[in-house]
Amino acid sequence: MANPEPEISEFFGAFLVYSEIMEKSFLFGKFPFHWDPIKGRLLLDFHFSRDYKSLVKTGIFLVTTLFPGIVVFLRSLHNKLQLSPHFEDYFASDGVMIAYLVMLVVLLGDFALFMVVILFWKSYTEGEIERSFCMFRQLSKVRPKQENGVHISTRLIKFAKLVVHFYAQLPLTFTLFCIPFNLDPMYYSMFEMQLDPNNLTNMLVRTVLFVVSCVEVCRLIALLICLVLFAINLGQRETFMWTNIAKRSNLGGLYFYRQIAILYTFRRGPTTIMLSLTMIVGFVTEFLFKSGVRRLEILTSKTHRVIK
């Protein structure tokens, strides 16, 4: 594949990094939200023949991690609240329950934010990215290299590489941490199925399933971070180049500030909605996390009093 144009590399740098590291990885592969090297654009399309691997991994995550994790948390909470005679199962400790609650809240928050991007993609985001790229290309061509803000993109691309590399390795690292400490939901599911989760074969099964389950979650988080870095790069580069142009003359400054006002008026509506949803998700996440941790602390203190 030929190297992309400099403007494409600078404008879509975060997504190019994601494509080079994650999409070409055997563990991750393609995803409906992907980089098209032929068109040089970020695309969102669903074709089962190409994306079935990501669908399979998502299904494994739901069946072996998310749903069992929710069941383990609810049953353990049910036992701690003593709402009825205890379930005859091996329920989780307070630490595991807190860990499950934190991971569940983070997953729901990330999923909600990603759904916002998906819902606005065809109606607004895709067209706005294309308009912004056309303007970015025009501004880059008329500004010398030292005045087009290329250093901003270079810095953000380096940061994107660190982030994507981290999340590309995280499924294996996280699994190596969770499996020995029995933090995976399949550990409790195997007790329910009357299997020994610490058997060598079962541990291997747990390890493989947990790695596969973590893949799409890590991809989702990495994609969201790349989207944020892309937006930061776009905003900073546009502002940097417009400011340099505006300094050339008062007339030019007035003209370009008018263009900025028109552009950001057009962006304001959808951006406000997305930021509002992001803040709502953040507040809900914080509330659930603090409420859950506080509730578990109260339950733990009550349990200790009963034991004494």
Side-chain angles (χ1 to χ4, degrees), residues 25-60:
S25 167
F26 172 78
L27 192 61
F28 288 87
K30 289 287 185 180
F31 189 69
F33 200 60
H34 67 282
W35 176 258
D36 189 328
I38 298 175
K39 296 181 179 179
R41 294 293 185 274
L42 188 68
L43 300 180
L44 174 64
D45 61 86
F46 297 90
H47 296 294
F48 185 80
S49 60
R50 189 199 65 224
D51 301 324
Y52 73 94
K53 291 182 180 179
S54 63
L55 293 176
V56 169
K57 286 181 284 188
T58 302
I60 291 174

Side-chain angles (χ1 to χ4, degrees), residues 8-220:
I8 292 179
S9 299
E10 295 170 17
F11 189 79
F12 296 103
F15 300 125
L16 285 169
V17 169
Y18 160 77
S19 176
E20 286 294 322
I21 296 174
M22 281 194 169
E23 289 188 347
K24 293 184 179 180
S25 167
F26 172 78
L27 192 61
F28 288 87
K30 289 287 185 180
F31 189 69
F33 200 60
H34 67 282
W35 176 258
D36 189 328
I38 298 175
K39 296 181 179 179
R41 294 293 185 274
L42 188 68
L43 300 180
L44 174 64
D45 61 86
F46 297 90
H47 296 294
F48 185 80
S49 60
R50 189 199 65 224
D51 301 324
Y52 73 94
K53 291 182 180 179
S54 63
L55 293 176
V56 169
K57 286 181 284 188
T58 302
I60 291 174
F61 164 70
L62 294 174
V63 173
T64 66
T65 302
L66 182 61
F67 295 151
I70 293 173
V71 171
V72 169
F73 176 80
L74 292 177
R75 293 179 73 166
S76 299
L77 187 62
H78 182 278
N79 285 343
K80 285 186 174 296
L81 292 173
Q82 299 179 352
L83 298 177
S84 64
H86 285 203
F87 286 111
E88 294 181 358
D89 64 352
Y90 191 91
F91 59 90
S93 64
D94 295 335
V96 174
M97 288 179 66
I98 292 174
Y100 280 13
L101 178 63
V102 171
M103 288 188 284
L104 178 62
V105 170
V106 170
L107 284 174
L108 291 176
D110 289 339
F111 179 75
L113 293 175
F114 194 71
M115 285 306 299
V116 171
V117 176
I118 298 298
L119 291 174
F120 281 101
W121 185 258
K122 291 295 183 183
S123 61
Y124 172 77
T125 309
E126 189 175 34
E128 180 58 28
I129 288 176
E130 193 62 33
R131 282 189 292 272
S132 298
F133 178 65
C134 292
M135 183 180 299
F136 177 86
R137 174 177 279 175
Q138 292 174 357
L139 290 171
S140 297
K141 287 182 177 179
V142 299
R143 306 310 306 150
K145 189 173 182 179
Q146 63 272 20
E147 293 184 8
N148 68 5
V150 66
H151 62 279
I152 297 172
S153 298
T154 302
R155 184 175 65 249
L156 289 173
I157 288 172
K158 288 180 179 178
F159 181 70
K161 287 181 180 179
L162 292 175
V163 170
V164 177
H165 270 299
F166 172 77
Y167 281 102
Q169 301 297 326
L170 189 59
L172 295 174
T173 306
F174 194 54
T175 300
L176 291 176
F177 172 78
C178 289
I179 296 297
F181 293 99
N182 300 324
L183 296 177
D184 58 308
M186 281 301 295
Y187 174 79
Y188 302 97
S189 299
M190 286 187 173
F191 270 109
E192 187 71 21
M193 294 184 287
Q194 297 182 347
L195 298 173
D196 181 10
N198 293 318
N199 178 280
L200 182 60
T201 303
N202 292 336
M203 281 195 71
L204 181 61
V205 171
R206 287 167 52 201
T207 301
V208 172
L209 290 176
F210 198 67
V211 169
V212 174
S213 298
C214 291
V215 166
E216 296 306 323
V217 176
C218 292
R219 185 208 298 273
L220 177 64

